[in-house]
Amino acid sequence: IRIHPDEGIMMKFGVKVPVWPFHYWLTKTHTEAPTFFSIYLSGFLVKTALFGIWSLVLYNQNINFTIYFIIIVLGVLDSSMKMWVQTDIKKLVAFATIQEMNLILLLMLMSNYSSIKFTFFFILAHTALSSIFFFIVDLLYKRFNTRSIYSINGVMNSTPMISFFIIISCILFSGLPFTLKFIVEVYLFSQIVSINTLFSVFLIIVSNWIAIFSFTKHWYSLLFGGSVNLKTDLNKKEVIFFLIYQLFLFILPFYVNYIL
């Protein structure tokens, strides 16, 4: 098999994105790293690889994108199925970010002006959502001294304010209509439908049914899985953090058409 030099460079950037099967380093890094480094890693550092891939896509049309579409779909499927069996909530969030990064890369490989603009909005949505969930993991760890899904339960009874923001964050991750993630996913899947209908149906089932259900079922288990002793709920700084990020995801879609 002959590999174009630019395809080799794209694969190097793909390891950093990360794409399947080179994504396991990111889950292990998130598991061991402090929370705010995880926010920096997911919110900024891995995005730098997207700029390198975008440069290759923009200035080189000799790359065979078919193999990358296949790899991305395998990455979405793998990360979605891995979320079913996680016991560490931070690793659960890490696989969710990998799934979204693969969708972002798929949108970027559409290689047209509109897809690049929507990729930018998808990056903003992913940055906000990953930051929210990693911050939630940090809040739960400080109060329960564990990240185990089986050890944390009854969060709704012990910390109702944290529970409220967990529910809203899960709804935003699911792509509530007229939120930022909903808009970019509608554009992504509409573009894929025009290429291959069967392929788009498969991807929608994996990314919007399997992934969302496997991700949210763990969070609802934490919320409603039993009762525990009361813990310290959110303080003012933590409430402000959630309000800023979640209002961003609700309000920005109204300006998408204006920006475009």
Side-chain angles (χ1 to χ4, degrees):
I1 300 175
R2 298 186 62 183
I3 300 177
H4 193 275
D6 287 340
E7 293 179 350
I9 297 174
M10 281 190 69
M11 187 58 67
K12 292 180 181 179
F13 284 123
V15 173
K16 190 177 180 180
V17 167
V19 296
W20 183 88
F22 308 110
H23 60 280
Y24 290 105
W25 70 268
L26 186 62
T27 59
K28 294 184 179 297
T29 301
H30 279 307
T31 304
E32 301 297 331
T35 297
F36 288 100
F37 180 78
S38 293
I39 293 175
Y40 167 73
L41 178 63
S42 180
F44 172 76
L45 199 57
V46 296
K47 305 299 190 300
T48 59
L50 291 175
F51 177 77
I53 293 176
W54 174 73
S55 299
L56 291 173
V57 170
L58 188 63
Y59 297 110
N60 196 318
Q61 301 299 322
N62 296 321
I63 299 174
N64 182 11
F65 293 112
T66 303
I67 187 171
Y68 292 102
F69 283 124
I70 296 172
I71 290 174
I72 289 170
V73 172
L74 289 174
V76 172
L77 178 62
D78 180 70
S79 57
S80 300
M81 298 304 295
K82 286 291 195 309
M83 284 190 273
W84 278 92
V85 296
Q86 296 309 310
T87 59
D88 186 327
I89 52 175
K90 196 172 187 184
K91 203 167 186 178
L92 173 68
V93 175
F95 275 110
T97 62
I98 290 172
Q99 188 246 20
E100 285 195 329
M101 286 299 297
N102 277 271
L103 291 177
I104 290 172
L105 185 57
L106 180 61
L107 181 57
M108 179 177 290
L109 292 181
M110 295 297 175
S111 189
N112 58 65
Y113 184 66
S114 295
S115 67
I116 294 300
K117 291 189 293 185
F118 276 94
T119 299
F120 171 75
F121 290 112
F122 206 161
I123 289 173
L124 291 179
H126 173 264
T127 300
L129 286 169
S130 63
S131 300
I132 287 172
F133 278 107
F134 280 124
F135 187 61
I136 289 173
V137 171
D138 185 60
L139 296 178
L140 294 176
Y141 181 74
K142 287 178 178 177
R143 287 159 175 80
F144 294 90
N145 298 316
T146 180
R147 297 199 307 254
S148 172
I149 293 172
Y150 299 113
S151 299
I152 304 174
N153 47 51
V155 178
M156 176 64 74
N157 297 326
S158 60
T159 54
M161 291 184 67
I162 294 177
S163 303
F164 171 77
F165 284 110
I166 289 176
I167 293 172
I168 296 299
S169 300
C170 287
I171 292 173
L172 289 170
F173 177 80
S174 302
L176 181 72
F178 307 111
T179 59
L180 188 57
K181 188 177 180 184
F182 173 80
I183 291 174
V184 294
E185 284 192 342
V186 166
Y187 176 82
L188 169 62
F189 293 126
S190 65
Q191 293 296 303
I192 298 175
V193 166
S194 63
I195 298 174
N196 189 307
T197 304
L198 184 62
F199 171 74
S200 65
V201 170
F202 173 77
L203 193 63
I204 290 171
I205 291 174
V206 172
S207 63
N208 282 69
W209 292 1
I210 296 177
I212 290 173
F213 184 77
S214 59
F215 182 77
T216 55
K217 79 180 183 71
H218 290 300
W219 288 104
Y220 292 144
S221 176
L222 300 181
L223 292 172
F224 308 108
S227 60
V228 295
N229 295 328
L230 293 178
K231 303 291 181 179
T232 304
D233 212 340
L234 294 178
N235 57 41
K236 290 183 180 180
K237 291 182 180 179
E238 292 166 347
V239 171
I240 292 172
F241 177 90
F242 280 116
L243 289 176
I244 290 174
Y245 273 90
Q246 292 182 341
L247 286 175
F248 172 81
L249 291 168
F250 274 113
I251 295 174
L252 186 61
F254 293 100
Y255 295 94
V256 169
N257 290 332
Y258 176 76
I259 296 173
L260 294 176

